Amino acid sequence: MSTEDELRRLDAELAKLKRDNQDQRDQIREMGATDQFEISAQIAQADEQAEIIAELEQRRETLRRRLEQG
């Protein structure tokens, strides 16, 4: 797989993860007064997903720098 292909795949994956993460956080806000344990678990899951997004964004920057260097 070329660097360009990997970068396109990574961009698409990041876009999907960001949408999913925002949807999850929106659902948490809309839950209202429900089981606090469940809400805490969902927040933890959303935070973990945000960490994965940050790692993938770092990878994307590495790929972009590699392309710029030729």
Side-chain angles (χ1 to χ4, degrees):
M1 175 184 301
S2 72
T3 301
E4 291 92 353
D5 290 340
E6 187 175 352
L7 188 56
R8 279 191 291 276
R9 183 192 58 78
L10 188 56
D11 282 338
E13 186 175 341
L14 272 167
K16 181 186 180 316
L17 283 171
K18 286 179 179 182
R19 281 190 310 272
D20 291 349
N21 189 263
Q22 187 59 52
D23 289 346
Q24 187 173 22
R25 290 183 186 278
D26 290 344
Q27 288 175 3
I28 292 168
R29 278 190 283 282
E30 294 169 2
M31 289 177 80
T34 60
D35 182 7
Q36 291 301 311
F37 179 76
E38 182 180 344
I39 291 172
S40 295
Q42 288 186 348
I43 290 171
Q45 184 179 13
D47 290 345
E48 289 173 11
Q49 191 175 43
E51 289 175 19
I52 292 169
I53 289 168
E55 290 173 11
L56 291 175
E57 286 176 333
Q58 288 177 350
R59 173 69 178 149
R60 178 177 60 190
E61 289 308 310
T62 300
L63 291 172
R64 285 187 177 159
R65 281 193 298 274
R66 184 185 303 166
L67 282 173
E68 290 172 1
Q69 294 174 353

